[in-house]
């Protein structure tokens, strides 16, 4: 079971507790490669990986910045990776992220890297040419230093080492003990000083092999009139397994063994202190005072008071007002593709350029709803790929997105103005994480981001046989609601031809063009219609036909023998197939398939058939009722999907009638 430790590190001189037993130092020493290292095989590790970390060591601390009369944060890393085969070559492509606020940037020093091979009976060494190191801008705040290790081949060992010096005290380096390949030894230590107080979360399914804290009495340091010793906090994990790529999880970030830090307070040499973050209410107050958050909302309201025509909403209900507000922002502004809980542009820039990040759009939407007289507040959240929020301690850095919470009648509705093809009262599915924090003065409220309202896709299929009976022609009408509709719209708008790919993948030939309905109307369910031709199967005067044309799931998505993590399918969903088959002349249905029904708190499955005259109607529905299932439900889900696959893909058999011949 995953555990989270939330521990304040005051790091005052009186804090000298130590626990844990320091293990023997590992045999791996940076820069010292042995034949034994190079002969290490992938079969020595579970899962036969393409690469493995032999060791990964990180160390953070503080140095005096004489120009600023303060401190900079330092981070050192020394890493060795064994490359077994081509499946592990990606790990020889190294990326080092550097933070920038636009004015200054973290600096990298002492970068070195080397590849080792066993060639002609000896160890060869190929160092990295630093001319091959380049930069890539990721977004406004992150720049990656990148390089490819030289002379990598099956059996290589790569090592790299670097130091980062950062002026950003809030950006004390986090550490990952676990990766998608095994790690033999991972160690992270932090040398703290009494001027900065941090909290950290240690995410792990098991205790570290070593977790110790002690005062380093060997070196005495001085800053101003304060004499002090470093407080060392050290964490070690050994034989860390590769992170399993299990289906249906929110994000790797929610499950990897790692440690995260956030600055909590600054203690000055004259004795006074400043709390950075102490409670959720304090964090909310800071957000509401922030120029790019709370003050941005106020500025937007002032702008809207002059520029928004309130006659447009006279006589509208609250639900109609919400729909109008979301549509107003979508029509007048566009999303630049960047997330963010803060506005990235000033209101003047945003309204002039008519584009901005998520913060610009949804904080402006909040202001518009408030200007309309509605009860609306911003909600900060973490997207699915960014990992879930843990509310045990207020850590602002975990949030990367802002949406709007608005009261409509007796309901609370979450809204977002970034996606043109998403309904006005639906968050984009990237936001469906665990919970969000409502940013409201004198309150601390959390809102559930999960949705239990099922998104549905319905396929109505009409099947007729060709005159020579060697194939079928089918008309397929597909209807989709909510998130299923949203995904269809995005697919269609990006590349209309992609709508036909699922049918082609099942061996169908398209007859004519695709017709669609409501592709531009996000408030309605979306529709599409295709005509296809597909071969049937004739064996000894028997015709075999899959009534749902192999469109249902055919491979069980739950493949593991057991499950460690919750099963997160993003949102509740329903899938329905209705096939109407006209029996060809001279043939009769051998038998209707057995009916099958399951209905419990986890899942609903219904499969049935009806035979009347020359037509057969087969209906199949399955519904996953929850967006998230406990790991203990995994076996049941696996079993039910086995049944769905078996039932929904079974074939009907039409038998040639006595005395009749094939026309």
């Amino acid at each position: 079971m995953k555990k989270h430790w939330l521990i304040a590190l005051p790091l005052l001189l009186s804090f000298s507790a130590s626990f844990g037993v320091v293990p023997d130092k590992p045999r791996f020493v940076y820069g010292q490669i042995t034949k034994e290292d190079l002969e290490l095989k992938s079969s020595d590790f579970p899962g036969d990986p393409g690469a493995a970390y032999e060791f990964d060591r990180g160390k953070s601390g503080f140095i005096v910045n004489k120009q600023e009369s303060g401190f900079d944060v330092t981070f050192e890393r020394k890493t060795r990776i064994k490359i077994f085969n081509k499946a592990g070559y990606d790990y020889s492509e190294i990326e080092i992220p550097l933070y920038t606020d636009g004015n200054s940037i973290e600096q990298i020093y002492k970068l070195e890297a080397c590849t080792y091979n066993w060639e002609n009976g000896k160890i060869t060494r190929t160092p990295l040419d630093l001319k091959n190191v380049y930069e890539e801008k990721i977004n406004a705040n992150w720049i990656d230093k990148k390089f490819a290790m030289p002379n990598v081949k099956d059996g290589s060992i790569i090592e790299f080492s670097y130091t980062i010096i950062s002026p950003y005290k809030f950006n004390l380096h986090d550490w990952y003990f676990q990766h998608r390949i095994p790690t033999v030894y991972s160690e992270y230590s932090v040398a703290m000083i009494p001027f900065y107080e941090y909290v950290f979360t240690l995410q792990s399914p098991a205790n570290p092999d070593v977790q110790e804290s002690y005062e380093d009495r060997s070196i005495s340091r001085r800053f101003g009139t304060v004499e002090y010793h470093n407080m060392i906090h050290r964490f070690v994990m050994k034989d860390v397994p590769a992170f399993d790529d299990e289906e249906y999880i929110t994000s790797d970030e929610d499950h990897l063994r790692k440690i995260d830090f956030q600055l909590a307070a600054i203690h000055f040499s004259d004795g006074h202190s400043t709390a950075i973050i102490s409670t959720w209410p304090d964090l909310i107050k800071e957000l509401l005072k922030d120029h790019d958050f709370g003050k941005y909302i106020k500025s937007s309201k002032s702008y809207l008071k002059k520029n928004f025509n309130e006659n447009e909403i006279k006589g509208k209900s609250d639900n109609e007002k919400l729909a109008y507000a979301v549509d107003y922002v979508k029509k007048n502004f566009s999303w630049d593709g960047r997330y963010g809980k803060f506005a990235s542009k000033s209101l003047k820039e945003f309204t002039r350029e008519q584009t901005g990040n998520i913060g610009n759009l949804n904080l402006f939407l909040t202001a518009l709803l408030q200007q309309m007289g509605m009860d609306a507040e911003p909600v900060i959240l973490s997207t699915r790929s960014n990992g879930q929020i843990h509310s045990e301690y207020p850590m602002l850095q975990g949030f990367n997105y802002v949406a709007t919470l608005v009261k409509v009648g007796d309901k609370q509705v979450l809204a977002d103005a970034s996606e043109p093809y998403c309904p006005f009262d639906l968050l984009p599915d990237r936001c469906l994480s665990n919970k969000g924090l409502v940013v409201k003065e004198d309150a601390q409220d959390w809102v559930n981001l999960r949705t239990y309202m099922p998104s549905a896709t319905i396929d109505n299929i009409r099947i007729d046989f060709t005159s020579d009976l060697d194939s079928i022609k089918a008309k397929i009408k597909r209807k989709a609601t909510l998130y299923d509709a949203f995904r269809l719209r995005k697919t269609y708008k990006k590349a209309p031809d992609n709508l036909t790919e699922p049918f082609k993948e099942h061996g169908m030939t398209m007859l004519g063009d695709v017709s669609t309905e409501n592709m531009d109307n996000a408030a309605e369910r979306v529709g599409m219609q295709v005509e296809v031709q597909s071969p049937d199967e004739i064996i000894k005067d028997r015709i075999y036909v899959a009534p749902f044309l192999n469109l249902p799931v055919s491979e069980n998505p739950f493949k593991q023998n057991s499950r460690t993590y919750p099963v997160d399918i993003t949102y509740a969903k329903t899938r329905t197939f209705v096939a109407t088959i006209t029996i060809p002349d001279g043939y009769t249905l051998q038998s209707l398939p057995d009916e099958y029904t399951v209905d419990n708190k986890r899942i609903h499955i219904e499969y049935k058939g009806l035979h009347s005259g020359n037509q057969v109607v087969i209906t199949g529905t399955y519904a996953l009722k929850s967006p998230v299932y406990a790991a203990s439900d995994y076996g049941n889900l696996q079993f039910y999907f086995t049944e769905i696959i078996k039932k929904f893909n079974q074939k009907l058999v039409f038998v040639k009638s006595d005395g009749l011949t094939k026309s």
Side-chain angles (χ1 to χ4, degrees), residues 442-460:
D442 299 324
Q444 181 189 323
D445 296 323
W446 294 89
V447 60
N448 183 12
L449 301 175
R450 304 287 189 189
T451 177
Y452 289 81
M453 184 181 296
S455 297
T457 297
I458 304 169
D459 281 343
N460 275 288

Side-chain angles (χ1 to χ4, degrees), residues 418-439:
S418 65
E419 294 285 357
Y421 307 115
C422 191
F424 71 91
D425 54 356
L426 207 65
L427 286 180
D429 51 2
R430 59 176 171 265
C431 299
L432 301 183
S433 187
N434 59 339
K435 56 188 173 183
L437 178 66
V438 183
V439 183

Side-chain angles (χ1 to χ4, degrees), residues 329-330 332-336 350 353-357 361 418:
V329 178
K330 288 180 180 180
N332 288 282
F333 304 95
S334 62
W335 179 39
D336 64 10
F350 176 60
E353 299 170 8
Q354 295 185 300
T355 184
N357 75 340
L361 291 169
S418 65

Side-chain angles (χ1 to χ4, degrees), residues 61 142 278 316 326 329 333 347 449 491 502 541 545 568 640 646:
W142 291 99
S278 56
K316 292 184 182 293
V326 173
V329 178
F333 304 95
L347 181 65
L449 301 175
T491 298
D541 293 330
V545 176
D568 190 317
Y640 290 138
K646 182 170 62 177

Side-chain angles (χ1 to χ4, degrees), residues 276-328:
I276 304 300
I277 296 175
S278 56
T279 65
W280 286 115
D282 286 344
L283 182 148
I284 289 170
K285 288 178 183 176
E286 291 300 317
L287 284 172
L288 291 174
K289 291 189 295 184
D290 193 280
H291 181 76
D292 296 318
F293 196 95
K295 290 184 178 180
Y296 182 88
I297 295 175
K298 289 182 179 180
S299 298
S300 298
K301 287 178 70 175
S302 297
Y303 169 86
L304 288 162
K305 191 172 183 179
K306 299 175 183 177
N307 294 278
F308 177 69
N309 182 5
E310 295 196 5
N311 289 326
E312 296 287 337
I313 58 169
K314 278 188 176 179
K316 292 184 182 293
S317 67
D318 282 352
N319 199 58
E320 290 170 334
K321 287 180 181 178
L322 173 59
Y324 183 90
V326 173
D327 190 55
Y328 177 90

